[in-house]
Each structure stands twice: as structure tokens, then as C-alpha cells.
Amino acid sequence: MRHIISLLMENEAGALSRVAGLFSSRGYNIESLTVAATEDATLSRMTLVTAGSDDVVEQITKQLNKLIEVVKVVDLSDGDHIERELMLIKVRAVSKDREEIKRMADIFRGRIIDVTDKSYTIELTGTGSKLDAFLGAIERSAILETVRTGASGIGRGERILKV
Amino acid sequence: MSTELSGAEITVRCLQKEGVDYLFGYPGGAVLYIYDELFKQDKVKHVLVRHEQAAVHAADGYARSSNKVGVALVTSGPGVTNAVTGIATAYMDSIPLVIISGQVPTHAIGLDAFQEVDTVGITRPCVKHNFLVKDIAELATTIKKAFYIASTGRPGPVLVDIPKDVSQQKTAFVYPESVSMRSYNPVTKGHSGQIKKAVQLILGAKRPMIYTGGGIILSDAASRLTDLVRMLGFPCTNTLMGLGGYPATDKQFVGMLGMHGTYEANMAMQHCDVLVAIGARFDDRVIGNPKHFFNQDRKIVHIDIDPSSISKRVKVDVPIVGSVPDVLDELIKLLKVSREKPDQTAIDAWWTQIDLWRARDCLKYDRASPIIKPQMVIESLYEATRGNAFITSDVGQHQMWAAQFYKFDMPRRWINSGGLGTMGFGLPAAMGVQFANPKGAVACVTGEASIQMCIQELSTCKQYNLPLKIVNLNNRYMGMVRQWQEYFHGNRYAESYMDALPDFVKLAESYGHVGMKIEQPGDVEGALKEAFKLKDRLVFMDFITDQTENVFPMVPGGKGLSEMILV
């Protein structure tokens, strides 16, 4: 099963490699990983998407907690949460396609953030499946380049991950 | 204004503040400033080994036999890579160590400088934690944290990598009295509700079993365990790492369990209805195939300080995360006040069954053999030392025989590499044990293959007059490899014979020690007695043993605990 795990860790050199190293050395899945400093510059917040049986995910959270620099771990999938991913996509946009792609971006609530006479670059956020759907809606041969951040997640309502 | 000290001096002062009396190490370019400071003082005594692997094993043996943090000092590059085997050995067995390594100067890091390796990266998977100190202002606090992390919670090795320029720069020295880290708060007290549930299970047991591991030894909980087991009248087994946790000569002790455990311990483990696991981790060498283990229905209580050890290989019914001594105190207190008592009739019947298993006499061997049997050497060693020696071992058949036949009544007397299974561990570990216990009798049980992996340390032993007794069970084979080849690879002994062996007697003598070669069973006892009489000499006893002898019982890989091959 897919799990989205959020963690707070000391914002120190090498902390990220400890997490990444844990996943590779213990053979855990890692679908995506995002990390950046929080409003408190001493802390980094990481969102990890992984897949595994309940036993494996229990071990993953325990092993993450065991890392000395990890302050808190929460499995967001245990409750209501929101997740978003950002995608930047550069598409070929010439003649009549320009209007069609603009319309498609509007439907998906994307924004065109760079324009040349031959291409658009579109910014799109949403869940992973929404981004997949957008990619499916655009003609494959028109896609020049895509870049995705992987999911960031946060609990709904009162669910707060803070020190 | 306080005077400023160099990073090197701060490092040495920190070690003094931590009460470090011995430091095992090997100098090199990146640690020269630190060695210069060691030279100027005499509180921290440096022990010069002959290979960095041995420095870490010696610090490890020191720690295991004393419950103090072992400390090693190595230089950058090859100094660190040589130390890695020692660090991984300590990590697998949760031994508290602080390893200080030199690093190339900060401005040279990442430029493929001479003797540069990514120490933090290389050691990351085999340390509890590691640090690269880039700012001298952080040095003292980092060393304090290293000792704190190594010795608290589930212990383990911590490495502090110090670039050469940091050891040279100066700053004011303040050693923090204590450290607190928001991201590291090991638990102590167990959950009282869970402990109450455990009491209910224990009191309701009809076929109980107490199974304990290295956690009992590491947390100094052996006497509490003994109280608990005697109070309940239950059978008790120890893992390879847990030997000495419960007195081996006591009638409630059913021997070691696992791949080479006793018949009675493995059968009781398989057939019990309530299993209390304490400071143990259901390792693959301990319970065999987990599926087979669950062919029998039983309730499991698991006490461990490390939450990730619980439900890792085996699902348990009552997990208790906490420090073993705290949880045992609580458990004993509740059992004492409980009005309910264990079902004595059921327990008696259970003991009758266990005694039947015991009668199988699974450790028997041919005592009348005209060739020296290795088991007999260990039994004679036990007699010669009256069970009081510190025994280190290397890895293989000799290790299993030592574990089976030397009856450890006390904790911290059995020093071996259980998790990583490091050949070459025994001799350097014995050096550390002797430094920690200068008056103790220390013997290293080894084989002709293992001993050659760190044989150079005979030189260190000479330099520091360490009167170790080396018991070399020489069967001219990597015995455990040979045993597996015999059973599982059609008697094809691929590369497991030891050809071109040195004359160990002459080798010992050339290092300045006493060497003995023992070839007749009738000479074993006398040789051991004579060796232990030489109180101030290292004696290398080369016992020429039966080449065909195997370790029994044996649970083949992938099989269940009760599917043992017996003699």
C-alpha cells in the first residue's frame, strides 16, 4: 500500500543522506522524496512517499525515528491529509495547437509561465493523479520536457506536525 | 578571558573528562596534532595496535567486559577503512564505542586529497551516529554528544571525524556538563499497562520459557533476570550474545538456543505457550525459519529498548519498549504482590518434559577418542579456570564449542562477535579485555584460520605484556565452512582447508611469547594448567584437534528450530 510519511529533522549537512541511506540499505521502496527548511531554519521538513505492507511501513517509521537527527515522524496516510505536487511542463505550441494547449491548461487550472513562439511552459499543481491526467490529455509528441517535485503533504485541520 | 586550546588539546581534554583511561589507536598524518597532545599528558594511556581493525576490536573488548565506553583513534583514509570492520562488529552487537578519526583539512575535503575518504559516508550504515566537525567551536559539544549517544538507549558506536586544521585551530575550552538533544530521547520506563498485561500472561502460563539476549548483558540486568527466573521457577535460555545473563550452572538454565543451541532449549522454545523475550531480537540464527516457529501457537512478551527490534521478524502479543532493568524491576514488583501464582502442576509437568529432552544429551561426544576433541579442550579450559576466566572467541566451530561447553555464570565474561561474525575479533578483543581487567584471566578461544586474521597483534601483546592465553583449536580447516560443505555441498571442500600453516609455536616464540603444541588428549589438561601458571606470559597453545568433528545440534539454514540435526 502507498504511504505518505512526513518528518521533521535537524537541518544539518548529511541528514538527507541518512534517510536516503536507510531506505537503500534496508531495501525499502521510495517513490518520491521532497525536503526543504521550515520557517524554523534549524529544522527541515521531508515528505516521503513509499509503498509496502503494514509491517514494512511500521519498520520504516521506527527506523526513521531511530535516526539521531530525526525529530518527529508521522504517517500522514493514517488520517485525513492533503498532498500536492508541482509539475513544470514544456510543450511544443505552434499554430492551432497554441489555443488548444492554453485551453487544456485552463481546464486543469495550470498557468503558463513562459512563452516562446514555439512553446509554452506550464506550471501545474495537484495530486499526482491529476498531474498524470494532464499528461494523458496532452498529445504525447507535444511534450518537450517535464519536471515533477514529488508529493508534499500536510495533515488536515488540527493534525499538526511541529516540535 | 580563558586561555585558548587547540582542537587536538580539546579532544584529549574531553577524553580525560569522560574518564577514558585507555585509548586504542594508530597514528597517521591527519591525527598528528592529537598524538602530540596525547604525548604531553599521562591520564589517557594510548595503546598502539598493529592494525586499525584491532584498535576498534580492542576498544570493543574493553567496553564489553567493563560496561564503559571503548575509545579508538585512527587516522584518515586507510586508517578509517581498516577500522570499518571493527565498527560494523560493534554496531551489530550494540557496543558503546567512540571512534575518533582524523580527516584531511577542511579546505581539502572533496578534492581527492592524500589519504582522504568520505568517512562519514563510509561509516554511516554501521554506526549509531557520526559527526564531521567542521567548526572548532562545535568540537567539545560534539565529543560530549558522541559519548552520550554511544552509551544511552540501545548502545552503539559513534564516530567523530576531525579535520586536521580543526585539530590545529584554537578556541576556548568549555566541556558541557550534560547535553540534551530534542531529536534523541531514549525511553527508560516501560508502559505500565503493558507490563501488567505481561504479568497476566506469565501467571497464566503452563509451558513458559524465558529467552534473553545481549540486552541483559549490556544493561547490567543479569542479577535482576536471575531473581525473576528463580522467583518464577521457569526455564531460561540465553542467546549467543546473552550467555552469562543467567548462571549456566543453574538447573533452570536449559543452555543456549538457536542454530547450535541445545536440544532442550530449542524444543522448549518451539513448544512453549508463553515466551518472554528480554533484550533479544529473534535473529535468524536464533529462531530459524519464522514460519516454522509459528506452526506452534504461543503468546509472546517482548521487552526491548529499541522499538525497531520489536515486531521486526516476529509478531509479538505484548511489546514493552523500555530499559530492561527498569522493566524487570517493575515486573518483579508486580509479581511479588500478585495474589495469583503460576500453575505449579502445569509447570512441573513442563519440567518433566524438558528433562526428557535434556536426557537426549545433545552435547555428547566421543570422550575416549585417541585424537583431541575440541569440546574436550573447552571443558578442560573451564576446569583449569574454574569458570572464572574472560573468554573471547573468533568465529566458527570453536566459537560454538566455547559457547556450548564453557559454562558462563557471570555476565561480561563471554566476548564474541555474534551479529557480524568477524573472524579476527578474538585476539584484539582479548587485549581490550585484559586492559579493562588487569587482574583477570583472559583466554582467547580461536582456530588456525581466524587467528591469522589479526595475528600481528601478538606484537602489541608483547609491547604491553598482556598475559593472554590463546587456545587454538587447530583442525587445519575453516571448520564451520567445512561442516556446511559436508552437509549441504556434497563433501566438496572448496578452499576450506588451511594449507601452509605456520609453526605456531615458533611464531609465538618469535613474537617473544611462549608456544606449546599439544597433540595427545592426555596432554590437554596439563598444558592448560601449565599455561595458566605462567601468569605474566602470553601462552599460545596450539591444540591439534580432530579434523572431522562437527558442531551439534545444528538447525540447517531455512529449517525450523525443532528440526535439528543431532549427534
Side-chain angles (χ1 to χ4, degrees):
Chain A
M1 215 185 104
R2 179 179 181 272
H3 283 254
I4 178 161
I5 293 169
S6 227
L7 55 107
L8 281 173
M9 58 204 282
E10 298 291 351
N11 186 10
E12 277 168 21
L16 173 61
S17 67
R18 289 182 208 280
V19 174
L22 172 69
F23 274 72
S24 63
S25 69
R26 294 198 180 259
Y28 302 143
N29 263 306
I30 192 160
E31 280 179 15
S32 73
L33 184 160
T34 67
V35 61
T38 64
E39 79 285 1
D40 171 354
T42 67
L43 284 172
S44 288
R45 168 97 178 222
M46 183 182 286
T47 309
L48 266 160
V49 177
T50 183
S53 64
D54 289 353
D55 291 353
V56 169
V57 173
E58 183 184 331
Q59 266 299 311
I60 289 174
T61 52
K62 283 174 169 178
Q63 294 289 347
L64 284 169
N65 263 311
K66 204 167 138 178
L67 294 175
I68 304 289
E69 283 159 343
V70 168
V71 185
K72 270 188 182 169
V73 179
V74 60
D75 185 348
L76 289 176
S77 336
D78 281 347
D80 280 349
H81 67 280
I82 305 158
E83 54 183 279
R84 289 292 180 271
E85 183 175 354
L86 167 70
M87 175 166 68
L88 302 178
I89 173 167
K90 192 175 287 180
V91 292
R92 186 161 17 94
V94 284
S95 63
K96 65 179 175 31
D97 288 346
R98 288 180 84 84
E99 199 43 42
E100 171 63 19
I101 288 165
K102 170 79 174 69
R103 231 184 350 257
M104 197 60 78
D106 288 343
I107 292 170
F108 279 85
R109 280 186 264 172
R111 296 198 303 143
I112 296 174
I113 54 174
D114 188 41
V115 176
T116 71
D117 52 0
K118 292 199 184 88
S119 72
Y120 285 152
T121 300
I122 304 162
E123 169 197 321
L124 190 63
T125 56
T127 60
S129 56
K130 176 185 161 183
L131 305 188
D132 291 342
F134 182 72
L135 288 172
I138 285 191
E139 199 197 322
R140 185 120 196 133
S141 64
I143 299 172
L144 300 172
E145 188 182 354
T146 61
V147 53
R148 297 172 67 153
T149 58
S152 285
I154 196 163
R156 273 197 190 274
E158 303 301 305
R159 288 187 85 201
I160 286 166
L161 177 62
K162 213 173 161 68
V163 175
Chain B
M1 199 186 125
S2 58
T3 50
E4 296 201 323
L5 305 185
S6 71
E9 198 171 356
I10 287 172
T11 304
V12 174
R13 289 278 286 273
C14 290
L15 298 181
Q16 292 174 349
K17 291 267 188 192
E18 286 295 330
V20 175
D21 49 1
Y22 287 104
L23 169 64
F24 303 89
Y26 202 101
V31 285
L32 279 178
Y33 289 107
I34 299 176
Y35 270 86
D36 202 30
E37 291 305 324
L38 283 169
F39 188 81
K40 296 175 190 164
Q41 55 87 55
D42 56 7
K43 273 192 190 154
V44 180
K45 291 178 277 295
H46 181 271
V47 177
L48 177 68
V49 295
R50 300 299 184 263
H51 186 290
E52 287 89 350
Q53 179 187 348
V56 184
H57 287 331
D60 180 323
Y62 177 94
R64 289 184 204 232
S65 63
S66 70
N67 194 24
K68 285 173 27 186
V69 177
V71 189
L73 171 60
V74 299
T75 193
S76 65
V80 166
T81 54
N82 279 346
V84 167
T85 299
I87 298 170
T89 303
Y91 180 66
M92 285 293 269
D93 291 342
S94 307
I95 306 304
L97 298 185
V98 170
I99 299 102
I100 293 178
S101 58
Q103 182 55 280
V104 301
T106 45
H107 58 79
I109 290 177
L111 302 179
D112 300 321
F114 177 65
Q115 293 194 330
E116 178 186 2
V117 290
D118 173 9
T119 299
V120 164
I122 282 181
T123 59
R124 195 186 58 229
C126 60
V127 291
K128 185 171 174 187
H129 197 55
N130 58 19
F131 297 94
L132 168 63
V133 184
K134 281 185 164 170
D135 178 358
I136 190 177
E138 305 276 322
L139 181 58
T141 313
T142 303
I143 295 176
K144 181 79 193 176
K145 278 183 186 170
F147 276 88
Y148 171 62
I149 293 170
S151 58
T152 51
R154 179 177 180 175
V158 179
L159 179 138
V160 183
D161 200 25
I162 306 177
K164 188 168 185 178
D165 54 333
V166 172
S167 69
Q168 188 185 12
Q169 291 155 10
K170 290 191 166 187
T171 193
F173 174 57
V174 184
Y175 198 59
E177 288 292 310
S178 64
V179 279
S180 76
M181 300 166 70
R182 63 181 169 183
S183 62
Y184 177 68
N185 297 292
V187 287
T188 47
K189 286 261 173 282
H191 190 282
S192 57
Q194 292 292 90
I195 298 175
K196 279 186 191 128
K197 275 192 212 160
V199 168
Q200 285 315 308
L201 274 184
I202 289 168
L203 291 173
K206 298 201 183 308
R207 300 186 309 279
M209 179 71 164
I210 295 177
Y211 142 62
T212 78
I216 292 284
I217 314 288
L218 292 167
S219 66
D220 277 333
S223 64
R224 286 178 177 86
L225 173 69
T226 308
D227 289 350
L228 177 74
V229 174
R230 292 211 171 120
M231 190 170 105
L232 290 167
F234 290 178
C236 180
T237 180
N238 294 158
T239 67
L240 180 67
M241 292 309 299
L243 292 174
Y246 187 81
T249 53
D250 189 274
K251 62 182 189 315
Q252 280 171 254
F253 185 65
V254 293
M256 179 174 79
L257 82 165
M259 182 170 270
H260 295 295
T262 64
Y263 184 65
E264 51 271 33
N266 285 346
M267 292 301 275
M269 190 75 180
Q270 184 71 14
H271 296 284
C272 64
D273 70 340
V274 172
L275 177 63
V276 183
I278 313 172
R281 58 187 179 93
F282 294 90
D283 170 18
D284 54 312
R285 297 284 140 135
V286 164
I287 57 154
N289 184 338
K291 277 206 187 87
H292 181 275
F293 188 58
F294 279 104
N295 287 346
Q296 296 284 330
D297 202 25
R298 69 177 83 65
K299 296 284 182 201
I300 302 177
V301 176
H302 191 182
I303 304 167
D304 204 286
I305 194 148
D306 178 3
S308 74
S309 276
I310 291 175
S311 295
K312 183 167 70 177
R313 296 194 76 240
V314 162
K315 275 272 165 218
V316 302
D317 302 279
V318 183
I320 303 174
V321 177
S323 123
V324 165
D326 282 12
V327 175
L328 288 188
D329 280 347
E330 188 70 17
L331 201 59
I332 291 169
K333 204 169 76 189
L334 288 177
L335 283 165
K336 272 189 181 151
V337 298
S338 166
R339 253 171 278 159
E340 250 182 282
K341 295 291 162 209
D343 176 351
Q344 205 48 55
T345 324
I347 308 285
D348 288 346
W350 178 229
W351 272 114
T352 308
Q353 173 62 63
I354 290 171
D355 287 337
L356 282 174
W357 288 326
R358 251 183 192 157
R360 183 69 180 69
D361 193 12
C362 67
L363 297 180
K364 64 174 176 260
Y365 65 92
D366 178 10
R367 286 166 198 275
S369 165
I371 311 167
I372 297 177
K373 288 287 182 181
Q375 300 96 320
M376 178 258 215
V377 179
I378 306 293
E379 286 189 322
S380 299
L381 174 66
Y382 176 77
E383 296 299 330
T385 55
R386 291 191 262 334
N388 279 324
F390 292 85
I391 307 291
T392 74
S393 92
D394 275 300
V395 170
Q397 286 184 320
H398 66 267
Q399 176 190 26
M400 292 301 120
W401 284 316
Q404 290 175 332
F405 289 89
Y406 199 99
K407 296 187 268 297
F408 294 95
D409 278 344
M410 284 172 287
R412 299 193 181 279
R413 294 297 168 118
W414 167 238
I415 312 288
N416 84 129
S417 167
L420 196 67
T422 309
M423 290 169 71
F425 174 80
L427 176 57
M431 303 187 321
V433 173
Q434 190 77 78
F435 278 109
N437 304 275
K439 298 228 166 74
V442 183
C444 167
V445 175
T446 183
E448 82 292 337
S450 282
I451 191 69
Q452 292 191 85
M453 286 214 184
C454 273
I455 193 87
Q456 75 285 348
E457 297 308 316
L458 286 175
S459 173
T460 311
C461 294
K462 181 64 187 169
Q463 182 175 345
Y464 297 93
N465 297 314
L466 302 176
L468 307 177
K469 305 297 177 263
I470 297 173
V471 177
N472 189 37
L473 301 178
N474 184 346
N475 63 356
R476 285 83 73 213
Y477 270 108
M478 294 162 213
M480 191 58 91
V481 173
R482 195 203 57 77
Q483 179 169 345
W484 279 56
Q485 287 171 333
E486 180 184 332
Y487 275 88
F488 312 121
H489 299 277
N491 298 298
R492 292 180 299 279
Y493 299 125
E495 304 298 323
S496 57
Y497 51 88
M498 290 307 277
D499 215 338
L501 283 173
D503 178 334
F504 285 109
V505 173
K506 282 190 186 150
L507 183 74
E509 286 170 357
S510 81
Y511 275 109
H513 303 304
V514 178
M516 295 179 182
K517 186 173 187 174
I518 303 98
E519 295 177 278
Q520 298 300 323
D523 296 337
V524 170
E525 199 186 322
L528 283 162
K529 274 194 180 149
E530 197 184 322
F532 279 96
K533 265 189 213 149
L534 296 170
K535 287 202 185 304
D536 53 355
R537 297 298 298 276
L538 183 148
V539 183
F540 192 116
M541 286 163 274
D542 188 21
F543 293 94
I544 307 303
T545 62
D546 187 347
Q547 291 191 284
T548 62
E549 191 58 45
N550 286 326
V551 182
F552 296 111
M554 169 170 165
V555 179
K559 292 285 185 179
L561 260 189
S562 56
E563 300 176 306
M564 287 164 270
I565 302 172
L566 295 160
V567 193

